[in-house]
Amino acid sequence: MSDVLARLRALQEGDLPTHGGSTLAYVYDSGLAEADEIGRQALALYGATNGLDPTVFPSLRTLENDLVGWAARLLQGGPDAVGTVTSGGTESILLAVQTARDAARNGRCTPSSDTGSPSMVLPATAHAAFFKAAHYFGVRPVVVEVDPVTFKARPEAIAAACDDSTVLVVTSAPSYAHGVVDPVPEIAALAAERGIRCHVDACIGGWVLPYLRADGIQVPEFDFAVPGVTSISVDLHKYAYTPKGASILLHRSAELRRAQFFAHADWPGYTMLNSTTQSTKSGAPLAAAWAVVQHIGDAGYQRLARTAYDGAVRLAELAGEVDGVTVLARPATTLVALRSDERADVFTIADEMAALGWFVQPQLSFRDQPPSLHLSVSAATADRVDELVAALHTAVQKAQEAGPVQVAPELAAAAGGLDPATLDDAAFDGLLALAGLGDTGALPDRMAPVNALLNVAPPRLREALLIAFLDRLMRPT
Ligand SMILES: *Cc1c(COP(=O)(O)O)cnc(C)c1O
């Protein structure tokens, strides 16, 4: 047995560190060893339970209602608010979109909707999960430009994009890519006026903003205190620092939630009754989330939110002083986005940061915006900000010495003109090899050449290349 676990540990050596504050995306570290230990023990206690049926493991119902109650209080849900614990932000968002679509179809929310071809209005900064929901549920995404300076959604543009087919309007608190909070009150009001649901994607900010407010920081209005907000997603596995696999979707009322649920009693097996997309589901992430939230508590989260926020603000200030780096927006919460000038590309900076032990996340160019770097600051990163900025200095200098990765102009031109629909497997093999992704057995040490090439490709081609890459990566051994 110990041999098998030793093999797991050995395999993990190739992974990003989950603790220590040096990984600025994917993982969130409270720095509280005891909270982590409690989460691990709760996972072990509940690993074999099944959330398929709320009557057979009644403890799971207790845990879920406790957590939803906590989130509803935090996000000013009022006595009618309800919610569901899901497996993650994406599932919360999928369910919000599916619920809005089906409620409109049933005539519950927007009776005038053209429910034959439902649509939702998304600021261009909305999370990719909404596009996944659009794809899964046949809801047409209507994408609206955001303010080019503040990166916030523009209420007038959203109003202009709403029509009889709109079943949902989306806002972010904050947006993942830029870390800014949309003007939720204006947008929720215009949605309510039209009888359209308004979802606030607070996946990454929903467990931070209320605690910052409690700590005396002025934060934008974004939760159920805002009239017209009908649902909110908030991830536990981000800034509630719980083990992965836990998020909450809240609705303002049970009426607004009804279309989320699914039952099927017309087959020979058990009556299926589901609140989420999963049916059989482990109770472990729920129990772990409950345990960590109980352990850290309001006072603990207020401290953690303040620590991470102060770290992000300080990081933004100091990073802005690094020659060749600009900060896209003053952090509204704990997220920082950086750009570089023409002397260096952000992809090389990310590689140099990785060489120095820091993981920062590249974000490709989007419309007329150049590529950038994303940094999610955890509480555990906060007291290492000076060290992080020193690494950034070095990384930028090295990237400037190397100069931006050059993509051959003929290659860039070819990428611009390729229609992914016309490419066959052999063509993808060739393109992946060109991009440095031909040998999936050994991923390249430096990702900058790969990112630079993806960066000059149009989004549809990027997507096709990435899917072809994933297809080759995921083969049985
Ligand atoms: C992380 C995130 C999501 C998606 O959540 P997952 O847990 O990765 O599925 C959606 N929206 C925002 C703003 C996020 O930060």
Side-chain angles (χ1 to χ4, degrees):
M1 184 183 99
S2 59
D3 174 48
V4 174
L5 293 178
R7 279 163 61 198
L8 280 181
R9 291 203 182 87
L11 283 168
Q12 278 194 306
E13 277 168 26
D15 293 346
L16 276 177
T18 56
H19 290 79
S22 62
T23 306
L24 291 124
Y26 304 111
V27 298
Y28 303 80
D29 182 7
S30 68
L32 305 175
E34 201 177 56
D36 291 339
E37 179 55 24
I38 285 169
R40 273 193 296 273
Q41 292 205 21
L43 284 175
L45 274 175
Y46 270 78
T49 60
N50 191 344
L52 168 68
D53 178 331
T55 64
V56 290
F57 292 97
S59 70
L60 293 178
R61 181 170 68 100
T62 302
L63 302 179
E64 178 157 351
N65 284 338
D66 270 7
L67 272 175
V68 169
W70 192 297
R73 170 178 57 78
L74 206 56
L75 298 167
Q76 308 194 72
D80 294 335
V82 296
T84 305
V85 174
T86 72
S87 63
T90 298
E91 191 181 15
S92 292
I93 287 166
L94 289 174
L95 289 169
V97 173
Q98 173 258 314
T99 306
R101 181 198 68 173
D102 292 349
R105 188 176 280 168
N106 301 337
R108 281 216 186 83
C109 188
T110 46
S112 65
S113 291
D114 172 6
T115 52
S117 57
S119 67
M120 63 179 153
V121 176
L122 303 174
T125 48
H127 195 276
F130 290 96
F131 293 86
K132 187 174 188 178
H135 175 66
Y136 279 15
F137 300 130
V139 176
R140 184 167 42 89
V142 176
V143 180
V144 169
E145 294 295 337
V146 299
D147 184 291
V149 177
T150 63
F151 307 109
K152 294 180 188 176
R154 293 165 47 232
E156 332 76 72
I158 290 180
C162 290
D163 63 22
D164 277 355
S165 72
T166 313
V167 299
L168 187 66
V169 161
V170 170
T171 59
S172 304
S175 60
Y176 186 86
H178 302 105
V180 299
V181 178
D182 287 331
V184 175
E186 289 85 344
I187 295 169
L190 73 86
E193 229 168 76
R194 291 163 175 77
I196 300 170
R197 290 179 183 228
C198 176
H199 181 80
V200 177
D201 180 6
C203 277
I204 203 157
W207 217 266
V208 175
L209 287 162
Y211 288 114
L212 292 181
R213 190 194 289 131
D215 209 53
I217 293 171
Q218 191 123 39
V219 305
E221 292 289 303
F222 76 100
D223 59 19
F224 286 118
V226 176
V229 169
T230 53
S231 58
I232 303 179
S233 48
V234 53
D235 289 350
L236 297 166
H237 63 200
K238 286 180 182 156
Y239 284 100
Y241 298 106
T242 75
K244 290 293 181 240
S247 167
I248 296 179
L249 172 61
L250 293 172
H251 296 273
R252 184 181 282 279
S253 69
E255 171 69 12
L256 288 163
R257 181 178 64 178
R258 198 148 305 143
Q260 179 189 317
F261 290 169
F262 180 82
H264 190 78
D266 193 13
W267 74 301
Y270 58 87
T271 301
M272 199 163 87
L273 175 60
N274 295 151
S275 57
T276 61
T277 48
Q278 287 180 299
S279 197
T280 284
K281 57 185 173 188
S282 171
L286 166 64
W290 182 91
V292 169
V293 166
Q294 298 291 324
H295 174 75
I296 294 178
D298 281 318
Y301 282 121
Q302 193 170 320
R303 270 194 307 277
L304 289 169
R306 184 63 194 238
T307 302
Y309 171 77
D310 286 347
V313 169
R314 185 171 158 73
L315 170 59
E317 278 167 13
L318 295 178
E321 290 167 12
V322 175
D323 179 39
V325 171
T326 48
V327 176
L328 267 62
R330 186 181 195 280
T333 59
T334 54
L335 313 183
V336 179
L338 306 175
R339 259 183 206 161
S340 59
D341 66 18
E342 67 296 336
R343 287 171 291 167
D345 66 55
V346 291
F347 308 125
T348 306
I349 296 172
D351 281 348
E352 294 297 344
M353 287 296 280
L356 295 167
W358 295 90
F359 180 85
V360 298
Q361 191 176 46
Q363 304 186 127
L364 299 183
S365 61
F366 174 68
R367 302 193 178 179
D368 54 3
Q369 295 169 31
S372 57
L373 295 173
H374 169 102
L375 296 85
S376 283
V377 177
S378 285
T381 306
D383 61 9
R384 298 186 61 193
V385 164
D386 288 358
E387 211 187 311
L388 169 55
V389 174
L392 184 65
H393 256 290
T394 309
V396 170
Q397 248 165 19
K398 286 197 164 173
Q400 287 177 352
E401 280 158 23
V405 173
Q406 300 298 333
V407 177
E410 9 4 309
L411 196 56
L418 277 178
D419 174 5
T422 64
L423 300 175
D424 60 12
D425 259 344
F428 276 116
D429 280 331
L431 285 170
L432 288 171
L434 271 179
L437 294 172
D439 177 12
T440 51
L443 292 179
D445 283 342
R446 299 187 66 88
M447 290 305 289
V450 178
N451 284 320
L453 187 58
L454 285 174
N455 195 58
V456 298
R460 292 295 90 81
L461 180 60
R462 289 176 189 165
E463 291 159 5
L465 277 172
L466 290 168
I467 288 171
F469 171 61
L470 187 62
D471 171 59
R472 287 151 179 77
L473 198 59
M474 303 313 286
R475 294 297 170 101
T477 42

